Amino acid sequence: MSDNLSRSYVGPVILGLALTGATGICLYLLLRKEEDWEGEVQGGVTSRQVAIDVKIPRDMVGVVIGRQGSNIREIQAKTETRIHFRDELETEQFRVACIRGLPDDAQLAEILIHQTISQQPRVETLTMYVPGRAVGRIIGRGGESVKEIQRVSRCMVDIDRGASLEEMKKIVLQGSREEIIMAKELIEDIVKEEAMMWSGGCCSRPPRIKNIRPAIVDISSDAEEEKLEDKKEEMKTEIQNHCIEVLDKVEATEVPLNASIYEADQLPMRNIFDSHCHIDFILDRKVRNPAIRTYSRLVEEYPAMHHQKLEGFITNYCDPSTWPELGTAPPAMLSSAWVTQGLSVHYTVGCHPHFAEQLLREGAMEALESLLVEGRGRGCVAVGECGLDCSRKNGADMDIQIEAFKLQVALALKLDLPLVLHIRDAEKEGLAVLESCGLPGTWPVHRHCWNDSWVRCQAWLDLFPGSVVGMTGLVTYRQAEQAREVARLLPLDRLVLETDAPYFRPQYSGVLPWDGLKFAHPVQVASVAAMIAEVRGVSLEEVLARCRENVARVYRIPVTGQRREAVNAVEDIIEDLINSVSDDVKTEAEHTELKRLNDSESDIGGQRKKLKTVVDHLITQDLNCQAEPFTPGAAEHSLLPECEVGIKSETGIRQGTHELAASQQEEFSLRMIGYEVPCEVYVSALCSPGEFWVQKIGPMSVDLDQLIQQMTKYYSEEANQKCLSVTSVDIGDIVVCRFGTEDSFFRARVVEVKESHGCNSLSVDVYFVDYGDYQLKSINEIYKIRTEFMKLKFQAIQCSLAHIRPETGEDWSEDACDKFEMLTGCDRGKVLWARVVGYQASGVPWVELVDSGRRQTSLAQELVRVGVARWVEIEK
């Protein structure tokens, strides 16, 4: 029985122990797993993910997503989470974003989303009223003007478009405070301009100097500034004493001017060349002023962007949304600069890897090829910048980047154009693409903005011996030791200089004066060159010269390409003339055309003048290819043996100025004439639509402002006036005098000498060679001109308005002249586009003038429309 009892308890006991053991094991495992989970979470190695739903106000969804998803991709990349919207949970007020990832990562993503929303500026509304007649100008043709205001200010603009021009119209602005202020200022500028157009009145003449800046600025320390001021005072005293001593001897001595203290000003040649910049980014992302849409206007607004030793630059159009307009090569942004004599301006077109998706859209590649083809010979020199970018700043998918990169490499091979490459954190992938496209190692390639090690750079140079490597302002940064190592070891024949403006503003002083700007620009490539020269232990001149030769080799831009360009222009003009003759006499025309041009005095006088201008330029360039430009602040540099420093006779000065003046008149450049490219101008003086004078806008206008400022400073000194006073002049003499009641001094040519009745002094009728004005002056108000003030060409170009004649008779009516003056804005510096369409027998060019505003009004057509002129065709 006991055995049976024992057996009856054994089963349950064993079963109980078994169950207890299993449960214990299970409980142990569960507890251990929970402990491990807590440890793994603390160590950041768990793979368990969570989902967090975040409500986002509907009006903030676009902000969170960002342009083409850039913001949400950045949040995902930073937190290593996945974010998508749950449409089934959305309401009228909110959309729900679901964040999936590790707990800490998901919470961080949620925080970033809330930060993105909270950091958005508060939207405000402002209501303003403008005259009804200004609304059309604010809106612009097809809404272009108001769209530009919205694009630049990022402010919503709602305009009341009533029919009456007399009523005040309401404009509602919506955006942040800063956006509203900018939009309001832009609209007010347009209203002021419209009011001046409607007034038709002649304001008092504005100051002739448009940009005032000191000859020497940016002293690095107060001590240096005081030292420089002491030196100036000392020099001033010496000058005055020297003049007094000379006056005692009744002789005149020219006084030397201050020399510049900056290294770039002392360069022997004009060879500062920026091989890579983005002028369009400066305009769109830094300046953001719809009134400044071209390089020439940019330079005039910021004179520090121009330097006498700047030879040129290559600007890169790499955002498809801002590519040049088809059929406008060179682009309007560059056309004035492209036709500026002595300035070598070029551009490239491509798609940066940040915008790769845009290149794959329908029609984008066709547009790119068209831009490259039509730009050949008109400034376009390469494809790019293009490539791959795996940095965290780029959210474009790698497969899309690779496809866009391959398309551009293939296009460069097809069109036989150099490549500009942007490869960042994707060296292996980039090389694989180039290999798959079959790019030869000898192909001309500019590896832009190198920021990697010397070891990788050396490997690249070995793979692509036809390439060059670009160094930017990064090399001047204190922490950029790696960049300086590459700059030190890189062979000079494989190096090019670039700014990548407006980025990488150089941090290097002593080469250029401080310009006060917050962005980089092409002139600052001189500071990049100076740092490279310092780390290599060579001269700045050598670095600039060698790098310029490398640009010439890769981009096929000759260092001295002016003569070949002039020959091409001559050939184009002659070919146009021959093609204008009918086919049945074409053979005969080929033999007689040049003779006919030379013999004709009326019908073909303009073309004869055009050809003569080109040939004269050929001869001048051939004999004077290294002629030094005017440099404000430069030490005296005599141009003529008769005008050496020291005591001179009036006869010697007069003879010297006559010889200089013979070749000193500014003209429209070969490119403008031969390629019919327009440039921006001011009308500086006028008599009628048939006789007026213009000044070209851009580097030359900056030079003129600096020259006038320097002359005014010099001739304002009483001692200098006594030294350079005159007692007699001859017709044709170049002199210096004031204009009207202005304090500034200007260059002028003597056109007539009269004896004043009732006094012993002479009256002199002078023509201001830089503006086109005439004025009667007393001989006591006229002074001799120093030779260095003759280096800049006379800026006033006499013109006649093309396609129109007086409505009745041969003389222009007073109404026509008044209307023309109002349209040109002669009294307020209005910007116009000028295009040469022919020449008169006298050599005066026929030009078309077009308003640079959004309406693009032809001044000739406007004069015909208001009934003060009739339309005629220019015979070519």
Side-chain angles (χ1 to χ4, degrees):
M1 185 174 177
S2 61
D3 292 339
N4 292 333
L5 183 61
S6 299
R7 288 194 191 99
S8 65
Y9 283 103
V10 169
V13 169
I14 293 174
L15 179 60
L17 290 174
L19 291 174
T20 304
T23 302
I25 292 172
C26 290
L27 288 174
Y28 170 78
L29 292 175
L30 288 172
L31 291 173
R32 176 59 185 270
K33 190 171 184 180
E34 187 66 28
E35 291 173 0
D36 290 346
W37 160 257
E38 292 175 358
E40 288 172 358
V41 169
Q42 293 174 1
V45 297
T46 182
S47 60
R48 179 177 293 181
Q49 295 192 344
V50 297
I52 299 177
D53 290 339
V54 181
K55 288 185 177 181
I56 301 175
R58 278 189 170 273
D59 59 348
M60 288 289 135
V61 170
V63 173
V64 173
I65 295 175
R67 185 181 179 183
Q68 297 181 352
S70 58
N71 290 348
I72 204 163
R73 281 200 299 268
E74 185 176 359
I75 294 173
Q76 290 180 133
K78 286 181 177 179
T79 60
E80 297 183 355
T81 59
R82 291 292 178 185
I83 304 174
H84 69 278
F85 285 89
R86 300 182 63 180
D87 296 337
E88 70 275 10
L89 297 179
E90 68 178 66
T91 65
E92 292 183 359
Q93 293 79 26
F94 297 98
R95 291 191 65 187
V96 177
C98 180
I99 306 172
R100 291 187 178 277
L102 301 180
D104 289 347
D105 294 339
Q107 290 177 3
L108 177 59
E110 182 182 13
I111 292 171
L112 291 177
I113 289 176
H114 288 303
Q115 284 182 349
T116 302
I117 296 173
S118 63
Q119 289 172 359
Q120 292 304 302
R122 188 179 60 172
V123 177
E124 299 181 2
T125 300
L126 173 70
T127 301
M128 61 185 297
Y129 292 85
V130 301
R133 62 172 178 263
V135 169
R137 192 176 185 88
I138 295 171
I139 296 173
R141 184 172 58 187
E144 290 181 353
S145 184
V146 71
K147 288 177 183 176
E148 183 72 6
I149 292 172
Q150 292 182 120
R151 187 187 68 81
V152 170
S153 66
R154 298 184 179 179
C155 176
M156 293 297 296
V157 180
D158 184 18
I159 302 175
D160 178 11
R161 308 191 184 197
S164 174
L165 297 180
E166 303 302 326
E167 300 176 358
M168 298 296 286
K169 301 298 180 183
K170 182 172 72 172
I171 299 180
V172 179
L173 307 179
Q174 191 174 37
S176 67
R177 181 180 297 274
E178 293 76 14
E179 293 168 351
I180 288 176
I181 291 174
M182 176 171 285
K184 183 172 178 288
E185 290 176 351
L186 295 175
I187 291 172
E188 288 174 345
D189 288 343
I190 295 175
V191 172
K192 289 177 183 177
E193 185 177 348
E194 184 71 15
M196 295 179 75
M197 288 286 292
W198 277 72
S199 67
C202 295
C203 310
S204 59
R205 187 184 185 91
R208 291 173 180 260
I209 299 181
K210 295 177 285 297
N211 296 298
I212 303 294
R213 70 171 186 176
I216 299 176
V217 294
D218 184 28
I219 307 302
S220 56
S221 67
D222 294 338
E224 290 182 2
E225 185 171 7
E226 292 174 3
K227 183 178 179 181
L228 184 61
E229 289 299 326
D230 293 340
K231 188 175 181 180
K232 286 182 181 178
E233 288 298 323
E234 183 181 344
M235 183 177 293
K236 181 177 176 182
T237 305
E238 290 178 359
I239 290 173
Q240 292 174 344
N241 293 338
H242 186 53
C243 282
I244 292 171
E245 182 182 350
V246 171
L247 286 173
D248 291 339
K249 298 178 182 179
V250 199
E251 293 176 331
T253 300
E254 293 192 21
V255 182
L257 299 173
N258 295 341
S260 171
I261 63 173
Y262 294 101
E263 196 172 355
D265 295 334
Q266 300 166 11
L267 291 169
M269 294 181 63
R270 176 186 284 180
N271 60 356
I272 297 176
F273 195 97
D274 185 2
S275 66
H276 189 103
C277 62
H278 301 276
I279 302 299
D280 56 331
F281 287 178
I282 295 177
L283 293 169
D284 293 338
R285 305 183 182 187
K286 300 299 180 179
V287 176
R288 298 175 63 186
N289 184 344
I292 303 175
R293 302 304 306 156
T294 67
Y295 173 77
S296 294
R297 293 294 309 282
L298 187 65
V299 166
E300 189 176 55
E301 185 71 17
Y302 303 100
M305 290 185 63
H306 169 61
H307 194 278
Q308 296 298 327
K309 301 304 171 66
L310 176 67
E311 182 188 355
F313 57 83
I314 302 172
T315 184
N316 286 245
Y317 287 95
C318 63
D319 183 350
S321 66
T322 60
W323 277 349
E325 185 180 348
L326 284 168
T328 59
M333 184 187 78
L334 298 176
S335 64
S336 292
W338 192 73
V339 298
T340 297
Q341 228 165 356
L343 190 61
S344 183
V345 174
H346 310 272
Y347 67 98
T348 71
V349 188
C351 182
H352 192 283
H354 285 194
F355 314 111
E357 185 179 351
Q358 297 183 41
L359 189 67
L360 303 184
R361 295 174 183 172
E362 184 178 358
M365 276 303 299
E366 290 77 5
L368 175 57
E369 183 170 357
S370 297
L371 288 169
L372 294 169
V373 170
E374 68 184 25
R376 190 186 292 271
R378 289 175 170 260
C380 185
V381 292
V383 177
E385 62 186 276
C386 58
L388 302 176
D389 191 328
C390 289
S391 66
R392 300 188 71 173
K393 293 183 178 180
N394 188 17
D397 183 79
M398 178 53 67
D399 291 338
I400 293 176
Q401 290 189 55
I402 290 174
E403 186 177 354
F405 188 18
K406 286 181 177 180
L407 289 172
Q408 293 177 87
V409 175
L411 186 57
L413 292 171
K414 175 184 176 181
L415 300 179
D416 189 28
L417 285 172
L419 271 169
V420 185
L421 298 187
H422 171 108
I423 299 177
R424 179 165 299 170
D425 298 340
E427 194 75 13
K428 181 179 178 181
E429 296 86 346
L431 292 176
V433 169
L434 296 177
E435 182 180 358
S436 67
C437 292
L439 186 74
T442 56
W443 197 263
V445 174
H446 176 179
R447 182 68 187 270
H448 148 66
C449 190
W450 187 270
N451 63 347
D452 211 326
S453 67
W454 165 243
V455 173
R456 286 194 171 180
C457 182
Q458 195 170 27
W460 168 267
L461 295 174
D462 293 340
L463 283 173
F464 294 94
S467 68
V468 291
V469 172
M471 302 300 295
T472 67
L474 179 65
V475 76
T476 67
Y477 294 1
R478 181 166 49 185
Q479 71 276 18
E481 292 295 339
Q482 181 175 259
R484 281 189 286 276
E485 180 188 18
V486 174
R488 179 174 59 84
L489 298 175
L490 186 63
L492 264 183
D493 62 350
R494 305 293 296 278
L495 170 66
V496 292
L497 304 169
E498 56 179 84
T499 59
D500 200 19
Y503 312 110
F504 298 111
R505 181 177 169 86
Q507 299 175 0
Y508 194 92
S509 60
V511 181
L512 297 164
W514 174 253
D515 54 25
L517 302 178
K518 296 181 179 180
F519 53 83
H521 52 83
V523 172
Q524 292 181 326
V525 81
S527 297
V528 179
M531 174 57 79
I532 293 174
E534 180 180 315
V535 300
R536 298 181 71 96
V538 299
S539 67
L540 173 61
E541 293 88 341
E542 181 179 356
V543 171
L544 288 170
R546 295 289 297 278
C547 291
R548 179 62 184 89
E549 292 171 1
N550 299 337
V551 170
R553 184 179 70 251
V554 172
Y555 285 100
R556 304 156 188 171
I557 304 172
V559 177
T560 54
Q562 293 282 342
R563 180 173 173 81
R564 180 64 250 173
E565 175 183 278
V567 172
N568 290 339
V570 173
E571 292 172 351
D572 289 343
I573 293 170
I574 294 175
E575 184 178 355
D576 289 343
L577 290 172
I578 292 174
N579 291 336
S580 67
V581 184
S582 59
D583 293 335
D584 54 357
V585 294
K586 191 168 184 179
T587 303
E588 181 182 358
E590 291 176 350
H591 297 288
T592 62
E593 187 64 21
L594 288 179
K595 185 177 185 301
R596 183 169 70 84
L597 282 173
N598 188 59
D599 295 341
S600 174
E601 291 297 334
S602 56
D603 292 343
I604 316 294
Q607 296 295 345
R608 181 167 56 83
K609 168 62 181 176
K610 184 185 286 189
L611 185 60
K612 179 182 180 301
T613 302
V614 174
V615 174
D616 286 349
H617 178 81
L618 269 173
I619 297 171
T620 303
Q621 279 297 122
D622 198 31
L623 298 179
N624 238 346
C625 59
Q626 292 299 329
E628 185 178 353
F630 165 75
T631 305
E636 178 164 2
H637 184 110
S638 184
L639 293 177
L640 298 169
E642 293 86 358
C643 298
E644 293 174 352
V645 179
I647 301 174
K648 307 176 186 63
S649 67
E650 290 187 15
T651 303
I653 291 179
R654 184 172 297 135
Q655 180 182 355
T657 57
H658 282 181
E659 292 180 11
L660 272 176
S663 60
Q664 274 294 92
Q665 179 58 55
E666 183 65 49
E667 292 183 327
F668 293 118
S669 71
L670 286 176
R671 281 177 168 173
M672 188 172 177
I673 298 167
Y675 294 97
E676 298 184 353
V677 174
C679 76
E680 294 158 292
V681 299
Y682 293 122
V683 173
S684 57
L686 62 81
C687 295
S688 70
E691 186 180 9
F692 59 93
W693 288 261
V694 302
Q695 295 173 340
K696 292 190 287 188
I697 296 175
M700 288 299 187
S701 59
V702 174
D703 287 342
L704 178 60
D705 291 342
Q706 294 175 359
L707 172 65
I708 292 170
Q709 183 184 356
Q710 193 178 25
M711 287 196 305
T712 300
K713 181 179 180 181
Y714 180 80
Y715 285 97
S716 294
E717 296 286 346
E718 184 178 352
N720 292 340
Q721 291 181 9
K722 291 179 180 179
C723 288
L724 298 175
S725 61
V726 297
T727 57
S728 65
V729 290
D730 288 339
I731 293 176
D733 285 354
I734 303 298
V735 296
V736 173
C737 59
R738 288 188 172 98
F739 177 83
T741 58
E742 294 185 27
D743 293 330
S744 300
F745 284 84
F746 306 96
R747 303 185 296 181
R749 178 188 289 117
V750 175
V751 295
E752 190 176 0
V753 181
K754 307 175 183 178
E755 288 191 9
S756 299
H757 298 290
C759 60
N760 296 327
S761 64
L762 296 176
S763 294
V764 182
D765 195 7
V766 297
Y767 161 72
F768 289 89
V769 294
D770 295 309
Y771 293 87
D773 299 294
Y774 289 85
Q775 197 170 59
L776 192 65
K777 309 293 291 186
S778 167
I779 190 71
N780 300 325
E781 300 175 291
I782 292 176
Y783 306 98
K784 304 170 191 175
I785 189 167
R786 291 177 59 103
T787 54
E788 55 265 53
F789 297 145
M790 290 288 289
K791 291 182 180 179
L792 181 67
K793 288 187 174 183
F794 305 146
Q795 294 300 296
I797 305 175
Q798 185 178 349
C799 303
S800 291
L801 191 60
H803 302 305
I804 61 170
R805 299 290 183 273
E807 177 64 20
T808 58
E810 296 296 326
D811 298 326
W812 289 98
S813 67
E814 186 176 344
D815 287 345
C817 295
D818 290 344
K819 181 64 175 177
F820 183 59
E821 182 175 3
M822 185 194 73
L823 290 173
T824 60
C826 180
D827 57 345
R828 59 183 184 275
K830 183 178 180 179
V831 179
L832 301 169
W833 285 99
R835 185 194 304 272
V836 178
V837 298
Y839 278 88
Q840 302 177 35
S842 62
V844 175
W846 294 108
V847 299
E848 295 174 340
L849 292 180
V850 176
D851 192 323
S852 63
R854 286 293 175 184
R855 289 184 292 185
Q856 297 285 299
T857 305
S858 166
L859 270 59
Q861 292 177 351
E862 185 66 14
L863 291 176
V864 172
R865 187 186 67 81
V866 298
V868 296
R870 58 188 172 87
W871 188 267
V872 297
E873 292 295 336
I874 301 291
E875 292 189 13
K876 296 187 178 181

